[in-house]
Amino acid sequence: MKYTNAKKILPEKLILEIQQYVQGETIYIPKQQKEYQHWGSLSGGRQWLDQRNAEIRQAYKNNNSIEQLAEDYFLSIETIKKIVYSGNNSERN
């Protein structure tokens, strides 16, 4: 977490108001809810997981067993089940 001196960014009137509640301590001011980004959206991690899960679902539809997929993707059988049975992708074609 980055530390910033309040005197550099806040008006004096606001600093005086905050000092009525806390003085000389570090406080965390969270982002507004609308500023939050979903996990992995910046790093590409979410996209990678979505692509991997789509591959797993497709392999399952192509008659690969859950046990084989767990071994191939180094995941537990329960994790593979969650992936293949989630959403509308649970039916084998």
Side-chain angles (χ1 to χ4, degrees):
M1 183 173 6
K2 184 178 172 186
Y3 169 84
T4 303
N5 190 323
K7 288 182 179 181
K8 291 183 178 180
I9 59 172
L10 299 176
E12 182 69 24
K13 187 175 179 179
L14 181 55
I15 292 173
L16 292 172
E17 181 71 24
I18 293 170
Q19 285 174 333
Q20 292 182 28
Y21 301 94
V22 62
Q23 293 184 31
E25 296 181 39
T26 303
I27 61 171
Y28 172 74
I29 301 172
K31 292 180 181 180
Q32 292 182 359
Q33 189 69 20
K34 65 181 181 180
E35 297 296 322
Y36 284 116
Q37 295 187 7
H38 295 290
W39 176 88
S41 63
L42 294 177
S43 68
R46 177 81 262 157
Q47 184 179 5
W48 181 85
L49 282 177
D50 289 343
Q51 182 178 349
R52 181 205 66 185
N53 292 350
E55 290 174 6
I56 291 171
R57 286 185 195 101
Q58 187 59 47
Y60 180 72
K61 287 179 182 180
N62 292 336
N63 294 322
N64 287 321
S65 70
I66 288 177
E67 293 78 10
Q68 184 61 49
L69 292 169
E71 187 175 318
D72 292 348
Y73 286 91
F74 304 101
L75 296 170
S76 71
I77 290 174
E78 289 305 312
T79 299
I80 296 293
K81 285 179 181 180
K82 287 178 186 176
I83 293 168
V84 299
Y85 297 141
S86 66
N88 295 330
N89 299 308
S90 63
E91 294 181 47
R92 267 191 165 169
N93 291 337

